[in-house]
């Protein structure tokens, strides 16, 4: 006998105009905003590795959590894409949602504490449009990220200039979206089709994996994604190395860097902590800083607020132009 399922038709979905937003256009930094001081020799090395990778045609891939957008860094990451420093961006589902909302209405982010008590958290009509776009992506044979960018550009969203998804579509640079079903607010909506989301996001996974085939001599940056980034990267890299091994090639000499607030790594982040240490379970450390670069790569941990680290990385790249 099948288990009972929740009846989504009973949900009340309200328009975004009813929501109190915690982030607005004025919170998105301008490119000429004062950049906080952040002195890091490792960051200078990473900037040089990016320049070297692009000079030899190798991939520079950025995996990014939603907080990069929520902290107002959209214009900086868009410029990294437009100027050719980054060849692929990978977002989690929340990152795509915040990018889409900012492009549509110039605001995003709701308070869980404010809305969860009444069961209104995530129940916003316009945001649910992402589910319909996933169905269109499935029908058209597109990845989820490309389909979202296409919609933002072709429908001329008012604030598409601060959309990474739109920039990727315009510049023909992949911006993929890696979804975990049940994790994002759009999965609450009656129009959510798990099969369509899965198909569109899995196509993005294969696009991401193809991008990793150019990683030898390249760079992978993890900007604040503790689960999606290292887990998607690990599986995709295994696929790429599997084929390379059959062809007598290696994908081993590249640079990884994790940007995060957590003071986990300290000075010695090139060794995995023992399982008795809680830091062992921090995936970016053991996956991106140790295990996948142990055959000839190098890794860096950059501890700091994204509002410090990302603008300073961008400035270092501009100074080298």
């Amino acid at each position: 006998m099948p288990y009972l399922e929740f009846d989504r038709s009973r949900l009340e979905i309200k328009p975004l105009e009813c929501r109190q937003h915690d982030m607005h256009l004025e919170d998105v930094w301008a490119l000429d905003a004062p950049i906080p001081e952040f002195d890091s020799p490792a960051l200078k090395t990473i900037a040089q590795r990016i320049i070297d990778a692009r000079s030899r045609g190798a991939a520079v891939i950025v995996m990014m959590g939603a907080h990069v957008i929520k902290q107002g860094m959209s214009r900086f990451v868009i410029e990294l894409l437009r100027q050719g420093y980054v060849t692929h961006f990978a977002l989690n589902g929340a990152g795509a949602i915040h990018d889409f909302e900012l492009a549509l209405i110039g605001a995003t982010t709701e308070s869980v504490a404010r809305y969860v008590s009444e069961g209104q958290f995530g129940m916003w009509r316009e945001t649910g449009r992402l589910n319909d776009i996933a169905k269109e992506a499935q029908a058209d044979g597109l990845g989820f990220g490309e389909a979202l960018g296409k919609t933002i550009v072709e429908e001329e969203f008012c604030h598409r200039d601060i959309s990474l998804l739109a920039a990727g579509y315009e510049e023909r640079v992949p911006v993929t979206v890696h979804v975990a079903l049940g994790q994002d607010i759009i999965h609450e909506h009656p129009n959510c089709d798990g099969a369509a989301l899965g198909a569109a996001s899995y196509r993005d996974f294969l696009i991401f994996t193809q991008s990793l085939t150019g990683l030898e001599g390249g760079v992978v940056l993890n900007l604040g994604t503790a689960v999606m980034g290292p887990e998607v990267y690990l599986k995709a890299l295994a696929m790429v190395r599997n084929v390379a091994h059959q062809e007598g090639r290696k994908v081993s000499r590249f640079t990884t860097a994790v940007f995060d607030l957590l003071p986990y790594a300290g000075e010695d982040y090139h060794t995995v902590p023992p399982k008795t240490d809680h830091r062992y379970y921090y995936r970016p450390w053991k996956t991106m800083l140790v295990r996948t670069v142990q055959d000839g790569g190098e890794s860096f941990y950059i501890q700091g607020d994204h509002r410090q680290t990302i603008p300073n990385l961008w400035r270092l790249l501009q100074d080298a132009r």
Side-chain angles (χ1 to χ4, degrees):
M1 181 177 178
Y3 293 114
L4 294 176
E5 295 183 10
F6 185 84
D7 181 4
R8 297 177 296 174
S9 68
R10 301 172 61 193
L11 294 170
E12 180 183 18
I13 309 296
K14 296 181 180 180
L16 276 172
E17 65 184 15
C18 296
R19 188 174 82 184
Q20 185 172 337
H21 308 285
D22 291 347
M23 181 186 177
H24 301 82
L25 277 180
E26 56 267 27
D27 298 315
V28 180
W29 284 32
L31 291 174
D32 60 357
I35 295 178
E37 290 297 322
F38 187 78
D39 186 21
S40 168
L43 194 64
K44 295 175 184 177
T45 302
I46 293 166
Q48 189 60 51
R49 295 293 185 271
I50 292 172
I51 293 168
D52 293 343
R54 296 308 301 130
S55 70
R56 64 173 68 98
V60 175
I61 295 172
V62 173
M63 311 195 75
M64 204 170 90
H67 274 82
V68 174
I69 295 172
K70 292 172 69 175
Q71 290 189 309
M73 296 293 100
S74 292
R75 289 191 174 98
F76 291 97
V77 295
I78 288 170
E79 281 302 300
L80 292 177
L81 182 152
R82 290 198 187 279
Q83 293 180 15
Y85 289 114
V86 175
T87 60
H88 189 124
F89 274 96
L91 305 177
N92 58 11
I97 288 169
H98 290 303
D99 185 275
F100 184 89
E101 288 184 346
L102 273 175
L104 181 65
I105 64 169
T108 190
T109 307
E110 60 187 308
S111 167
V112 176
R114 182 183 300 121
Y115 289 111
V116 73
S117 296
E118 62 189 85
Q120 191 56 49
F121 177 69
M123 308 287 188
W124 311 107
R125 187 173 302 132
E126 293 88 342
T127 310
R129 171 91 189 279
L130 274 79
N131 290 319
D132 296 326
I133 295 170
K135 297 170 191 174
E136 295 165 8
Q138 183 185 32
D140 296 339
L142 298 180
F144 195 21
E146 183 178 4
L148 290 170
K150 180 175 185 286
T151 299
I152 294 168
V153 171
E154 292 187 351
E155 296 187 10
E156 299 183 343
F157 282 21
C158 291
H159 308 289
R160 60 189 179 279
D161 62 302
I162 54 172
S163 167
L164 178 61
L165 291 162
Y169 181 75
E170 290 174 330
E171 300 292 334
R172 309 314 302 151
V173 174
V175 180
T176 51
V177 181
H178 303 270
V179 171
L181 289 176
Q183 185 169 279
D184 300 318
I185 61 172
I186 61 172
H187 306 159
E188 306 170 14
H189 291 228
N191 69 333
C192 180
D193 182 334
L197 274 172
S201 187
Y202 189 69
R203 184 170 288 112
D204 272 357
F205 171 67
L206 296 180
I207 294 168
F208 175 80
T209 304
Q210 179 61 30
S211 289
L212 276 189
T213 63
L215 185 57
E216 183 71 7
V219 179
V220 178
L221 305 183
N222 179 324
L223 306 184
T225 163
V227 178
M228 181 282 290
E231 292 302 298
V232 169
Y233 156 77
L234 176 62
K235 281 69 174 186
L237 182 63
M239 294 164 69
V240 168
R241 283 178 166 171
N242 181 290
V243 173
H245 179 73
Q246 295 178 61
E247 297 174 347
R249 297 183 294 106
K250 286 189 175 182
V251 181
S252 58
R253 296 190 179 277
F254 55 85
T255 300
T256 64
V258 174
F259 291 59
D260 212 335
L261 283 169
L262 300 173
Y264 277 157
E267 293 299 321
D268 181 17
Y269 50 78
H270 296 111
T271 303
V272 177
K275 290 185 178 180
T276 53
D277 188 326
H278 70 278
R279 297 173 299 175
Y280 172 85
Y281 300 96
Y282 180 54
R283 290 175 176 87
W285 185 347
K286 62 184 179 182
T287 298
M288 304 199 74
L289 298 179
V290 184
R291 289 174 174 169
T292 58
V293 293
Q294 63 189 358
D295 299 315
E298 62 177 348
S299 63
F300 299 91
Y301 186 80
I302 305 296
Q303 182 189 344
D305 191 298
H306 295 316
R307 290 169 293 189
Q308 295 176 304
T309 59
I310 294 174
N312 273 284
L313 175 62
W314 179 80
R315 180 168 59 185
L316 287 167
L317 291 169
Q318 300 311 295
D319 289 347
R321 286 171 70 90

